[in-house]
Amino acid sequence: MTASTAKAQRFREFKMPDVGEGLTEAEILKWYVQPGDTVTDGQVVCEVETAKAAVELPIPYDGVVHELNFGEGVTVDVGTVIISVDTDPGAGPAEAPTANGTEQAAAATEDEDAEPQGRQAVLVGYGAAPSSTKRRARKPQPGVPAQPASAPIQAELNGRAAPTPMAAPVAAPAVPAAPVVPAAPVLPATSAAGAGSAGRPLAKPPVRKLAKDLGIDLATITPTGPGGIITREDVHAAAAPAVAPSLAGAPEPMAVATAVATAEPGIVDAAARERRVPVKGVRKATAQAMVASAFTAPHVTEFITVDVTRTMKLVQELKQDPDMAGLRVNPLLLVAKAFLVAIKRHPEVNAAWDEAHQEIVYKDYINLGIAAATPRGLIVPNIKDAGVKTLPQLAAELGDLVATAREGKTSPAAMAGGTVTITNVGVFGVDTGTPILNPGESAILAFGAVKLQPWVHKGKVTARQVTTLALSFDHRLIDGELGSKLLADIAAVLERPKRLITWG
């Protein structure tokens, strides 16, 4: 066994897994351990947020935390090492393996540690398939020196840490210090370092967009990513000097005072009163899903106003029912049950459009989604096989679903496979709305606020509890007649809830 192999076996590296179906990155929200802490196999060491949910990650090793490779709030690509663990701390002090040493050790211990070929192991699902695309070697630019092997040192000179925290210390370069300091020679080398074969800087599309939004030229950035790729951190670091100019370039105090005095009164820079927040996590996923749905599925929305006085009375009676003891009973529960009963009467609405195969997929199960507003944004977990559940079972799962969503613990699996959704806008005092379909689903029902309103009841105008329902549906799957019948049946059940028995 070589020394590098022994080090790799002692210092085990834990990579960011794919915590959802094919997700490519996750943000580290919180570390529960610090270097020097003892950890055990299966212990949760951090919480990360993907585009779908927040997930806690357990460590698969026993030992002592050697290093945390990224801080909180950093977005990390799947497959990147985020923490290393010393599995034999009693063996005395030892250096962690270098990048090359780790690769050599990985080859030597392939039978023990290597993953099967194909998709890498994930916590949920199978993950994204590995890319077969290979980047061509970069050609040296005429008159421009190639990027030196001591790129981490150059990154430190530019005010950023080296991209590989686990790498061993690099010896000081055997070149005079003077050529490294001047600003003029650095610019050409910076441009070449992140350039592809045609001189174009290497960066992912989101990074290019970020640079464009911030007004940063990628050619002026020193890349710190693997293979000379420019990262988000590189762009933010390059933008920092533009926000806070150096003292050398700052105007004299007298000049500033003169400028303020001569400025036209009443004019305020709008940028000084604006905030920019990166779009990521649940907010990013929600935006992408809503845009995809709105411009893919042709939406139709219909409305109906209904007297739900009898339903509200039934809610109060169910709260006193021994069979519902300990369960949360509210109007949403009965609206959900009415929706399920109506779908049973019109099962053809429970379908999905398969664009790739040009087929309509009819589903013999109902996974009922409940739109939930959380501190991280809108999510839509669903109750699996809701159509076959009794009212107490539906109440129990609805309560668990809402509680889990509020705690931010909803798993990606809980949000997958929905067929229809309910959004309860009435809790905000809103009468109704025009909800957008959850991608892949056929219909979404908006439940508005229940209010006392004048209503003709038994030939007389009296105060009744009234609400407005709105049903949006995919017009490729559901025509106007079918959608109208579905909405009318939902309203009929809520108007006379005894139909839960006669129709159910």
XYZ file of all heavy atoms in Angstrom, residues 75-139:
455
model
N -23.263 27.822 -3.340
C -23.877 26.834 -4.215
C -22.793 25.930 -4.779
O -21.805 26.403 -5.340
C -24.644 27.516 -5.362
O -25.692 28.328 -4.813
C -25.265 26.486 -6.288
N -22.983 24.628 -4.617
C -21.956 23.650 -4.970
C -22.530 22.681 -6.008
O -23.666 22.213 -5.875
C -21.487 22.872 -3.717
C -20.396 21.876 -4.077
C -20.992 23.842 -2.648
N -21.741 22.360 -7.009
C -22.156 21.395 -8.027
C -22.173 19.992 -7.449
O -21.354 19.639 -6.582
C -21.206 21.436 -9.230
C -21.325 22.720 -10.028
O -22.382 23.366 -9.934
O -20.366 23.082 -10.733
N -23.095 19.176 -7.946
C -23.161 17.768 -7.541
C -21.853 17.081 -7.930
O -21.326 17.289 -9.017
C -24.361 17.075 -8.218
C -24.294 15.570 -8.045
C -25.666 17.608 -7.653
N -21.323 16.273 -7.012
C -20.073 15.567 -7.263
C -18.851 16.282 -6.736
O -17.743 15.752 -6.811
N -19.012 17.485 -6.170
C -17.902 18.240 -5.605
C -17.715 17.875 -4.138
O -18.691 17.756 -3.389
C -18.152 19.752 -5.736
O -18.383 20.080 -7.106
C -16.957 20.551 -5.221
N -16.462 17.687 -3.723
C -16.170 17.350 -2.328
C -16.535 18.532 -1.435
O -16.088 19.660 -1.664
C -14.679 17.001 -2.147
C -14.368 16.741 -0.676
C -14.316 15.783 -2.972
N -17.358 18.285 -0.398
C -17.763 19.361 0.498
C -17.194 19.212 1.899
O -17.109 20.184 2.640
C -19.303 19.458 0.574
C -19.918 18.162 1.095
C -19.888 19.826 -0.775
C -21.417 18.248 1.331
N -16.775 17.998 2.291
C -16.240 17.779 3.631
C -15.308 16.579 3.598
O -15.526 15.635 2.838
C -17.383 17.548 4.654
C -16.828 17.349 6.068
C -18.242 16.373 4.245
C -17.918 17.232 7.131
N -14.240 16.627 4.397
C -13.337 15.487 4.521
C -13.274 15.068 5.978
O -13.346 15.904 6.885
C -11.939 15.834 3.999
O -11.388 16.919 4.735
N -13.164 13.754 6.209
C -13.196 13.182 7.553
C -11.951 12.333 7.776
O -11.600 11.499 6.921
C -14.464 12.329 7.748
C -14.450 11.638 9.107
C -15.706 13.182 7.607
N -11.290 12.547 8.891
C -10.154 11.725 9.310
C -10.722 10.498 10.003
O -11.249 10.581 11.118
C -9.254 12.520 10.254
C -7.986 11.762 10.638
O -7.878 10.568 10.284
O -7.119 12.357 11.297
N -10.652 9.339 9.332
C -11.256 8.126 9.880
C -10.358 7.399 10.874
O -10.777 6.419 11.474
C -11.619 7.158 8.737
O -10.425 6.816 8.004
C -12.631 7.803 7.793
N -9.120 7.874 11.040
C -8.196 7.260 12.004
C -7.423 8.344 12.729
O -6.200 8.464 12.583
C -7.244 6.307 11.273
C -6.410 5.470 12.246
O -6.769 5.428 13.445
O -5.414 4.873 11.799
N -8.133 9.167 13.525
C -7.448 10.289 14.185
C -6.413 9.845 15.202
O -5.489 10.589 15.536
C -8.598 11.048 14.859
C -9.671 10.031 15.041
C -9.564 9.109 13.865
N -6.524 8.613 15.713
C -5.571 8.139 16.712
C -4.229 7.766 16.144
O -3.293 7.464 16.891
N -4.115 7.786 14.796
C -2.851 7.402 14.173
C -1.816 8.506 14.225
O -0.702 8.327 13.749
C -3.100 6.990 12.724
N -2.155 9.655 14.784
C -1.219 10.758 14.865
C -1.419 11.750 13.751
O -2.204 11.522 12.831
N -0.707 12.863 13.800
C -0.883 13.896 12.769
C -0.429 13.384 11.414
O 0.537 12.645 11.289
C 0.005 15.043 13.268
C 1.026 14.381 14.141
C 0.331 13.223 14.790
N -1.186 13.775 10.425
C -0.845 13.406 9.042
C -1.475 14.420 8.124
O -2.509 15.007 8.424
C -1.330 12.005 8.710
N -0.841 14.625 6.989
C -1.376 15.567 6.024
C -2.482 14.907 5.220
O -2.431 13.718 4.917
C -0.278 16.037 5.066
C 0.829 16.849 5.756
C 1.885 17.285 4.757
O 1.759 16.868 3.584
O 2.799 18.020 5.134
N -3.494 15.703 4.880
C -4.555 15.195 4.013
C -3.982 14.960 2.629
O -3.017 15.604 2.221
C -5.709 16.188 3.941
N -4.503 14.024 1.862
C -3.970 13.737 0.528
C -4.129 14.924 -0.401
O -5.103 15.660 -0.317
C -4.809 12.538 0.062
C -6.076 12.631 0.853
C -5.669 13.194 2.182
N -3.161 15.106 -1.273
C -3.256 16.163 -2.274
C -4.210 15.732 -3.363
O -4.668 14.596 -3.400
C -1.867 16.446 -2.887
O -1.430 15.238 -3.531
C -0.875 16.848 -1.827
N -4.475 16.665 -4.279
C -5.393 16.337 -5.362
C -4.871 15.168 -6.180
O -5.593 14.229 -6.491
C -5.623 17.564 -6.254
N -3.556 15.202 -6.545
C -2.989 14.115 -7.327
C -2.937 12.833 -6.532
O -3.171 11.741 -7.028
C -1.591 14.482 -7.818
C -1.615 15.602 -8.833
O -2.626 15.787 -9.492
N -0.517 16.330 -8.978
N -2.605 12.971 -5.259
C -2.544 11.792 -4.414
C -3.892 11.139 -4.277
O -4.008 9.917 -4.237
N -4.934 11.958 -4.195
C -6.283 11.412 -4.096
C -6.651 10.643 -5.347
O -7.238 9.571 -5.282
C -7.293 12.545 -3.871
O -6.936 13.246 -2.687
C -8.699 11.992 -3.725
N -6.283 11.187 -6.506
C -6.598 10.499 -7.746
C -5.856 9.180 -7.844
O -6.403 8.161 -8.261
C -6.251 11.391 -8.938
C -7.116 12.648 -9.014
C -6.638 13.586 -10.095
O -5.627 13.238 -10.746
O -7.255 14.641 -10.277
N -4.557 9.169 -7.444
C -3.796 7.936 -7.495
C -4.356 6.912 -6.535
O -4.453 5.727 -6.847
C -2.326 8.226 -7.170
C -1.651 9.127 -8.214
C -0.271 9.572 -7.768
O 0.161 9.224 -6.673
N 0.405 10.321 -8.605
N -4.718 7.375 -5.339
C -5.270 6.456 -4.353
C -6.617 5.913 -4.792
O -6.945 4.755 -4.547
C -5.408 7.161 -3.006
N -7.383 6.760 -5.457
C -8.685 6.303 -5.937
C -8.510 5.186 -6.954
O -9.275 4.224 -6.991
C -9.458 7.461 -6.552
N -7.460 5.308 -7.788
C -7.206 4.252 -8.753
C -6.745 2.976 -8.065
O -7.089 1.869 -8.473
C -6.149 4.715 -9.763
N -5.956 3.124 -6.986
C -5.438 1.953 -6.276
C -6.517 1.245 -5.486
O -6.432 0.053 -5.233
C -4.295 2.364 -5.353
N -7.538 1.999 -5.036
C -8.597 1.411 -4.205
C -9.906 1.358 -4.960
O -10.970 1.519 -4.410
C -8.765 2.228 -2.920
O -9.093 3.562 -3.286
C -7.503 2.214 -2.090
N -9.824 1.127 -6.265
C -11.021 1.178 -7.108
C -12.049 0.146 -6.678
O -13.242 0.412 -6.675
C -10.620 0.948 -8.558
C -11.792 0.995 -9.534
C -11.341 0.844 -10.962
O -10.113 0.821 -11.187
O -12.195 0.736 -11.835
N -11.595 -1.053 -6.320
C -12.540 -2.103 -5.946
C -13.325 -1.742 -4.710
O -14.451 -2.191 -4.512
C -11.794 -3.423 -5.699
C -11.192 -3.980 -6.984
O -11.691 -3.584 -8.058
O -10.245 -4.772 -6.897
N -12.733 -0.901 -3.839
C -13.399 -0.579 -2.578
C -14.289 0.628 -2.673
O -15.406 0.635 -2.149
C -12.342 -0.347 -1.494
C -12.933 0.069 -0.150
C -11.864 0.362 0.867
O -10.684 0.162 0.559
O -12.219 0.803 1.972
N -13.832 1.678 -3.347
C -14.528 2.956 -3.283
C -15.212 3.360 -4.569
O -16.023 4.271 -4.571
C -13.545 4.086 -2.902
C -13.027 3.882 -1.499
O -13.784 3.332 -0.696
O -11.870 4.267 -1.236
N -14.867 2.754 -5.705
C -15.402 3.256 -6.978
C -16.878 2.970 -7.088
O -17.360 1.936 -6.651
C -14.656 2.618 -8.150
N -17.606 3.911 -7.682
C -19.022 3.735 -7.958
C -19.177 2.987 -9.270
O -18.307 3.033 -10.143
C -19.724 5.098 -8.053
C -19.674 5.901 -6.784
C -20.540 5.295 -5.703
O -21.359 4.402 -6.044
O -20.392 5.691 -4.539
N -20.285 2.296 -9.502
C -20.518 1.634 -10.794
C -20.537 2.658 -11.907
O -20.872 3.824 -11.704
C -21.894 0.980 -10.615
C -22.086 0.887 -9.137
C -21.355 2.054 -8.553
N -20.162 2.192 -13.113
C -20.186 3.086 -14.263
C -21.599 3.526 -14.560
O -22.558 2.815 -14.318
C -19.596 2.364 -15.483
C -18.127 2.043 -15.335
C -17.281 3.287 -15.229
O -17.561 4.280 -15.889
N -16.248 3.261 -14.405
N -21.760 4.700 -15.146
C -23.093 5.226 -15.459
C -23.425 6.343 -14.514
O -22.592 7.153 -14.146
N -24.656 6.402 -14.048
C -25.085 7.493 -13.166
C -24.535 7.299 -11.775
O -24.476 6.177 -11.267
C -26.602 7.564 -13.132
C -27.205 7.900 -14.498
C -28.677 8.176 -14.375
N -29.224 8.568 -15.667
C -30.449 9.046 -15.819
N -31.251 9.185 -14.800
N -30.886 9.385 -17.010
N -24.155 8.368 -11.122
C -23.566 8.270 -9.802
C -24.637 8.078 -8.742
O -25.793 8.382 -8.929
C -22.751 9.536 -9.502
C -23.616 10.784 -9.422
C -22.801 11.975 -9.010
O -21.699 11.830 -8.495
N -23.318 13.160 -9.215
N -24.192 7.558 -7.582
C -25.131 7.258 -6.503
C -25.741 8.531 -5.961
O -25.084 9.557 -5.857
C -24.393 6.532 -5.381
N -27.012 8.490 -5.632
C -27.722 9.649 -5.106
C -28.557 9.221 -3.924
O -28.739 8.033 -3.670
C -28.631 10.292 -6.185
C -27.805 10.784 -7.350
C -29.641 9.273 -6.680
N -29.069 10.203 -3.175
C -29.939 9.894 -2.051
C -31.340 9.572 -2.515
O -32.036 8.744 -1.942
C -29.982 11.088 -1.082
C -28.664 11.415 -0.392
C -28.887 12.550 0.581
C -28.089 10.213 0.316
N -31.820 10.257 -3.566
C -33.155 10.034 -4.107
C -33.045 9.887 -5.600
O -32.497 10.757 -6.268
C -34.108 11.202 -3.770
C -35.479 10.935 -4.355
C -34.191 11.398 -2.279
N -33.540 8.796 -6.178
C -33.516 8.618 -7.621
C -32.162 8.165 -8.119
O -31.332 7.661 -7.367
N -31.912 8.358 -9.416
C -30.713 7.848 -10.052
C -29.752 8.943 -10.461
O -28.645 8.670 -10.874
C -31.083 7.015 -11.280
C -31.894 5.800 -10.928
C -33.274 5.819 -11.000
C -31.269 4.646 -10.477
C -34.011 4.713 -10.669
C -32.008 3.542 -10.130
C -33.378 3.572 -10.230
O -34.107 2.489 -9.892
N -30.178 10.211 -10.398
C -29.288 11.305 -10.710
C -29.148 11.540 -12.200
O -29.747 10.867 -13.026
N -28.322 12.531 -12.523
C -28.124 12.893 -13.915
C -27.103 11.977 -14.564
O -26.128 11.576 -13.933
C -27.662 14.344 -14.020
N -27.338 11.621 -15.811
C -26.396 10.779 -16.533
C -25.120 11.555 -16.787
O -25.149 12.760 -17.049
C -27.009 10.328 -17.854
N -23.949 10.893 -16.694
C -22.692 11.612 -16.926
C -22.589 12.083 -18.356
O -23.022 11.385 -19.285
C -21.626 10.559 -16.589
C -22.317 9.239 -16.789
C -23.743 9.473 -16.397
N -22.029 13.255 -18.525
C -21.904 13.822 -19.861
C -20.797 13.134 -20.627
O -19.741 12.831 -20.077
C -21.617 15.322 -19.765
O -21.336 15.847 -21.031
N -21.034 12.874 -21.909
C -20.018 12.266 -22.768
C -19.244 13.314 -23.536
O -18.362 12.983 -24.320
C -20.685 11.286 -23.749
O -21.617 11.971 -24.558
N -19.563 14.582 -23.329
C -18.904 15.668 -24.049
C -17.511 15.895 -23.495
O -17.327 15.985 -22.282
C -19.708 16.968 -23.942
O -21.030 16.716 -24.402
C -19.064 18.060 -24.779
N -16.540 15.994 -24.362
C -15.171 16.255 -23.946
C -14.736 17.598 -24.497
O -14.978 17.912 -25.658
C -14.228 15.148 -24.459
C -14.524 13.772 -23.843
C -13.530 12.743 -24.327
C -13.812 11.377 -23.704
N -12.848 10.359 -24.184
N -14.077 18.387 -23.638
C -13.611 19.700 -24.062
C -12.264 19.560 -24.741
O -11.364 18.875 -24.234
C -13.512 20.635 -22.861
C -13.072 22.028 -23.244
C -12.993 22.939 -22.036
N -14.319 23.234 -21.543
C -14.774 22.792 -20.372
N -14.029 22.051 -19.609
N -15.995 23.102 -19.975
N -12.109 20.179 -25.913
C -10.829 20.150 -26.611
C -9.783 20.932 -25.831
O -10.079 21.907 -25.158
C -10.986 20.729 -28.013
C -11.861 19.879 -28.928
C -12.020 20.550 -30.265
N -12.725 21.805 -30.119
C -12.963 22.632 -31.139
N -12.518 22.348 -32.343
N -13.625 23.757 -30.944
N -8.545 20.486 -25.979
C -7.460 21.183 -25.281
C -7.347 22.598 -25.817
O -7.519 22.853 -27.009
C -6.149 20.425 -25.495
N -7.062 23.514 -24.908
C -6.946 24.912 -25.311
C -5.615 25.142 -26.020
O -4.559 24.692 -25.563
C -7.069 25.827 -24.093
C -8.399 25.742 -23.409
C -8.545 26.843 -22.377
N -7.538 26.714 -21.341
C -7.700 25.925 -20.281
N -8.791 25.219 -20.135
N -6.758 25.855 -19.357
N -5.681 25.846 -27.145
C -4.466 26.184 -27.873
C -3.842 27.437 -27.280
O -4.552 28.384 -26.947
C -4.797 26.426 -29.351
C -5.342 25.170 -30.043
C -5.675 25.473 -31.496
C -6.244 24.240 -32.199
N -6.581 24.538 -33.614
